[in-house]
Amino acid sequence: MARSTRRRAALADYNAKRDFDRTPEPAGDAQSDRPGGGRMFVVQRHRARRLHYDLRLEVDGVLASWAVPKGPTLDPGKRHLAVHVEDHPMEYADFEGVIPSGEYGGGDVIVWDRGTWEPSATDDPAAAIAAGELHFDLHGEKLSGRFALVRRDRDGGGREQWLLVHKNDDSAEKGWDPEHHPTSVKSGRTNDEVAAAPAALWRSDLPPGEAEVAVSATEVPRWEGPTPEELAALDALGREGRWHLQGTRLSLTNLDKVLVPGRGDEPPLTKRDLVRYHACVAPAMLPYLVDRAVNMHRFPNGIDRPGFWHKEVPPRAPSWLRTWRNPDADEGEAENYIVPDSVPALAWLANYGAVELHPWTSRIDRPGEPTWALFDIDPGERTSFEDVVLLTRLHRTALDHLGVTGCPKVSGQRGIQVWVPVRPGYSFTETRAWVEKVSRSIGASVPDLVSWAWRRDERAGLTRLDYTQNAVNKTLVAPHGVRPRPGGPVSVPIRWDELDDPGLRPDGWTVRTVLDRLADVGDPLAPLIGMAQDLPAL
Ligand code: MN
């Protein structure tokens, strides 16, 4: 019992960073002693805001933890900073996957090394840690031999700074660098590979026994962008011609026609530019389109002329385009839809003048069941972007309180949306009712900012929290999709903490800049695709 009390106390900091109010289960209550009796250790390579390695040693049923920016090394000549961080629950030891952005420690994690350990010269490692000096032997797949952790100082945030060193013993190896050994001992994968296709998410806001959430077994396919040679061939075409892209022959027309005027001093975007963008962004965009009908907002003569919504597959569409017939189409409604499933399909849509793409929130195999619940913060004429950001923060608070994971996305125009993944089986009636309830409680806290009027001219310039987007064949612009505005602004998923960036703009990223952003910071919404999330009763 004493041990269990100590364990509860040890996890207090971990739990304090998380909110278990809404769950009755005691936090951190899993197994402690393993058969065989050895104490386990794990080192997780964790790319959060900064790369670090988390060294975790089992002590009294929890994982005593140090964050080591340069990682542990076998080189006895190296003394690496190790910041003592809060104990973690044992359940975390085997975790490899993605911690959603905005949650504590958001980023990707691999099990970089693991094995057993034993303290040296003490049988009470907790006391040795409290005294600021622990000597220990590791028996891992990468790390072995005698290490020492010695407390030195506190940093500005009051956290204890320790040094981690390897003794000069038989396991020591001069020049040994952890970054030369980048793969997981659990899966053989790198952080990049895990981030691209995580097997699990860690919901640090849930009790440890429930926090690891498997990512949907329906594997999302992956796509490669065009090669430099393919892009050079596109640039070399005249105003029209055949483009060979990934084994598909595309007939492209009017490639030099301006579709989108520039913003400020920027040159305008031609159809060639849009074809190129769609081909290059396809690996990031197709996961949101595959297996879904898409509604096209077409501007074949450029966005200076009126565009129109186009849903029906055109008669002369190439036979390789995937299509779907909606069995529930009403009389007079579009019946056959394009289902983009390849890089050439996206390039074809650009050539067709489909500047803006809106995928259905349900998949074609279950058109009545949304996989996303959508919050659409739709600003009025009197709404400033600061107001939109404030409203988005209120959405985050509400979702946190409910224990629901979502991700904001700037619209590319003036607003922000929040996308919430849901498990299969909900109807649109259910997601709409849930979103409406949450929206109304948010709106009630800021009545000066929000109007519930249906008609725009009755909203007095206020924001509408538009829960009615949660209906079959109602759609929002695709993540990474272009908006028909000068400069070609793009709708981009962002991390919650980017709301604090004073430079954030709803239309700040464009066709010209979004690929660099994707290369730099990736897509914070991507790990939520296929997440089977329950919407809690309200
Ligand atoms: Mn960490």
Side-chain angles (χ1 to χ4, degrees), residues 406-471:
C407 180
K409 160 175 168 288
V410 295
S411 71
Q413 296 189 151
R414 295 184 58 225
I416 295 182
Q417 308 149 8
V418 178
W419 285 42
V420 172
V422 301
R423 63 159 170 79
Y426 285 110
S427 67
F428 281 103
T429 308
E430 289 169 318
T431 57
R432 185 168 59 250
W434 190 87
V435 169
E436 178 179 1
K437 273 190 187 165
V438 176
S439 297
R440 286 199 184 269
S441 81
I442 291 169
S445 68
V446 281
D448 295 351
L449 293 182
V450 171
S451 165
W452 299 103
W454 282 83
R455 290 168 48 124
R456 184 167 277 275
D457 58 5
E458 289 171 359
R459 282 180 219 154
L462 300 178
T463 297
R464 180 164 187 227
L465 303 181
D466 190 0
Y467 53 86
T468 67
Q469 299 293 345
N470 296 282

Side-chain angles (χ1 to χ4, degrees), residues 198-481:
L201 302 182
W202 186 265
R203 290 281 308 278
S204 51
D205 56 320
L206 294 178
E210 304 168 12
E212 184 164 349
V213 179
V215 173
S216 164
T218 54
E219 185 86 349
V220 177
R222 314 211 66 77
W223 296 266
E224 299 286 336
T227 65
E229 293 73 28
E230 287 167 332
L231 290 175
L234 173 63
D235 290 339
L237 288 179
R239 45 183 295 279
E240 60 182 47
R242 303 229 191 284
W243 188 31
H244 294 266
L245 177 62
Q246 302 189 348
T248 300
R249 200 175 70 164
L250 288 154
S251 291
L252 303 180
T253 54
N254 295 316
L255 285 168
D256 296 322
K257 181 191 275 184
V258 169
L259 286 189
V260 179
R263 187 154 68 178
D265 300 335
E266 293 169 359
L269 295 166
T270 62
K271 200 156 95 176
R272 189 190 316 266
D273 294 325
L274 191 66
V275 169
R276 182 186 182 95
Y277 174 72
H278 267 190
C280 291
V281 84
M285 196 176 184
L286 282 168
Y288 300 99
L289 303 179
V290 70
D291 296 332
R292 294 168 195 271
V294 68
N295 298 337
M296 301 173 276
H297 200 184
R298 289 186 60 211
F299 295 84
N301 294 306
I303 68 166
D304 284 343
R305 307 284 290 280
F308 52 93
W309 286 96
H310 190 137
K311 299 181 180 179
E312 189 72 37
V313 177
R316 290 200 298 180
S319 57
W320 52 264
L321 269 184
R322 187 179 181 202
T323 61
W324 168 71
R325 194 184 72 80
N326 178 13
D328 302 321
D330 291 331
E331 184 77 28
E333 193 189 0
E335 197 176 356
N336 298 288
Y337 290 80
I338 291 172
V339 180
D341 64 348
S342 69
V343 180
L346 268 186
W348 183 89
L349 285 164
N351 185 66
Y352 193 52
V355 171
E356 197 175 55
L357 300 177
H358 285 224
W360 285 30
T361 50
S362 54
R363 295 198 177 96
I364 55 176
D365 57 345
R366 297 183 181 190
E369 294 181 14
T371 69
W372 299 101
L374 301 177
F375 291 86
D376 183 18
I377 303 166
D378 181 16
E381 305 82 61
R382 285 173 48 215
T383 309
S384 68
F385 187 58
E386 286 68 32
D387 295 337
V388 173
V389 168
L390 182 143
L391 284 161
T392 310
R393 286 206 185 95
L394 293 174
H395 281 72
R396 182 192 185 175
T397 304
L399 293 180
D400 277 355
H401 180 72
L402 294 165
V404 169
T405 294
C407 180
K409 160 175 168 288
V410 295
S411 71
Q413 296 189 151
R414 295 184 58 225
I416 295 182
Q417 308 149 8
V418 178
W419 285 42
V420 172
V422 301
R423 63 159 170 79
Y426 285 110
S427 67
F428 281 103
T429 308
E430 289 169 318
T431 57
R432 185 168 59 250
W434 190 87
V435 169
E436 178 179 1
K437 273 190 187 165
V438 176
S439 297
R440 286 199 184 269
S441 81
I442 291 169
S445 68
V446 281
D448 295 351
L449 293 182
V450 171
S451 165
W452 299 103
W454 282 83
R455 290 168 48 124
R456 184 167 277 275
D457 58 5
E458 289 171 359
R459 282 180 219 154
L462 300 178
T463 297
R464 180 164 187 227
L465 303 181
D466 190 0
Y467 53 86
T468 67
Q469 299 293 345
N470 296 282
V472 68
N473 206 344
K474 284 267 216 161
T475 52
L476 295 177
V477 64
H480 318 300

